[in-house]
Amino acid sequence: MNDKHLSSQFDTDLNQVCSRVLEMGGLVESQIVTAMQGLNTFDRTLVDEVISNEHRLNTLEVEIDEECSKIIARRQPTARDLRLLLSISKTITNLERAGDEAEKIAKRTRHLLEDGAAQSVNFAEIKLSGEMAAQLLRRTLDAFARLDIVAAAEIVRDDKAIDNEFRGFVRKLVTYMMEDPRTISAGLDFLFIAKAIERIGDHAKNIAEFIIYIVKGTDVRHISREDLQRKVQGE
């Protein structure tokens, strides 16, 4: 955050809370990557690691929210600083929920392992969409660190690719289950995994929209991608 304030302590407070957001984001990204590795290799150790680490995200969310509340109470920020703090509060909620989705992937993978149904469905699309979601979140965190609204607008646009992968995989799953009812149980687990990945992309997109709000002061949720692009370009 480049803007300087009369109070150097205010700058320190803002920088510290932003650093903690990035710390939390890094942990969420690690959870997603580990969950996908656990799914791709059906490694029970990796699956259990994701599930056991979930509490760390919950703790970070509460602590960062408390820091934001204290800064608002002490400094009574206005304009961009207030938008930043409010957006941080919403950002960490989305990060925590993305972490929840990583935990869901791990739990569904564990269920597949316990049922012995891990290899019953070809899930190549899930592997691809999982990589896309982790990369999208990584780009979002980088855009947040730099408050880069151009990158944020690209992230909003690129989330659509994950949605397309999800829809394509669902169609394939339905075909599998119709042709062989024995795959229904595993198919449902994979469906929930695919949905969790899609939701991770949605949370990354939400954070990208908050970045634009911080910089531009405009709420770009629920507007078309074309209108969003115009807002970013200042038209």
Side-chain angles (χ1 to χ4, degrees):
M1 309 307 159
N2 297 321
D3 294 345
K4 295 295 183 181
H5 301 90
L6 293 177
S7 167
S8 60
Q9 185 58 49
F10 191 8
D11 289 320
T12 299
D13 291 344
L14 290 176
N15 287 332
Q16 284 179 345
V17 77
C18 289
S19 294
R20 296 212 71 192
V21 173
L22 295 174
E23 175 192 353
M24 183 178 180
L27 178 56
V28 173
E29 182 187 343
S30 176
Q31 285 281 88
I32 295 166
V33 170
T34 303
M36 290 308 303
Q37 289 175 341
L39 173 64
N40 294 340
T41 61
F42 293 110
D43 185 326
R44 180 64 182 261
T45 302
L46 293 176
V47 168
D48 290 341
E49 179 184 331
V50 173
I51 296 170
S52 65
N53 281 340
E54 169 61 19
H55 72 281
R56 293 172 59 195
L57 289 174
N58 297 336
T59 300
L60 275 171
E61 181 190 16
V62 171
E63 290 177 352
I64 296 170
D65 232 354
E66 288 179 351
E67 287 178 31
C68 287
S69 296
K70 289 177 182 177
I71 293 173
I72 291 172
R74 280 199 307 265
R75 306 294 180 184
Q76 298 181 340
T78 58
R80 178 163 162 165
D81 293 327
L82 183 57
R83 296 200 303 270
L84 171 64
L85 290 165
L86 293 176
S87 295
I88 283 175
S89 183
K90 294 178 181 179
T91 291
I92 60 174
T93 296
N94 276 270
L95 286 174
E96 192 276 332
R97 289 175 180 170
D100 285 346
E101 300 302 335
E103 183 186 28
K104 290 177 187 176
I105 293 169
K107 287 182 175 179
R108 288 291 172 173
T109 301
R110 183 174 63 184
H111 189 251
L112 285 164
L113 287 166
E114 290 171 348
D115 277 4
Q119 304 293 344
S120 61
V121 173
N122 181 337
F123 60 99
E125 291 91 345
I126 285 184
K127 295 179 182 179
L128 175 60
S129 59
E131 292 171 2
M132 291 167 62
Q135 184 182 49
L136 200 68
L137 180 62
R138 188 179 309 119
R139 288 168 53 199
T140 302
L141 294 171
D142 182 60
F144 175 83
R146 295 181 290 111
L147 290 182
D148 186 336
I149 61 173
V150 174
E154 291 174 353
I155 289 160
V156 173
R157 180 197 64 203
D158 292 348
D159 174 57
K160 187 175 179 64
I162 297 177
D163 295 340
N164 291 337
E165 286 291 329
F166 171 72
R167 286 190 288 268
F169 185 69
V170 169
R171 288 193 295 269
K172 189 174 83 169
L173 267 182
V174 171
T175 302
Y176 270 125
M177 291 186 286
M178 289 177 63
E179 291 177 350
D180 186 355
R182 292 173 298 179
T183 66
I184 289 176
S185 178
L188 291 175
D189 282 325
F190 280 114
L191 176 61
F192 282 111
I193 290 171
K195 184 61 180 175
I197 293 170
E198 190 227 8
R199 291 293 299 139
I200 290 169
D202 288 342
H203 290 306
K205 176 179 72 70
N206 291 346
I207 295 170
E209 291 172 342
F210 298 145
I211 294 168
I212 297 169
Y213 171 68
I214 293 168
V215 176
K216 288 288 190 177
T218 302
D219 190 338
V220 297
R221 294 174 295 176
H222 315 303
I223 69 173
S224 71
R225 286 174 170 81
E226 293 76 16
D227 287 342
L228 183 146
Q229 197 64 40
R230 284 194 286 272
K231 294 285 187 184
V232 168
Q233 294 172 349
E235 297 177 7

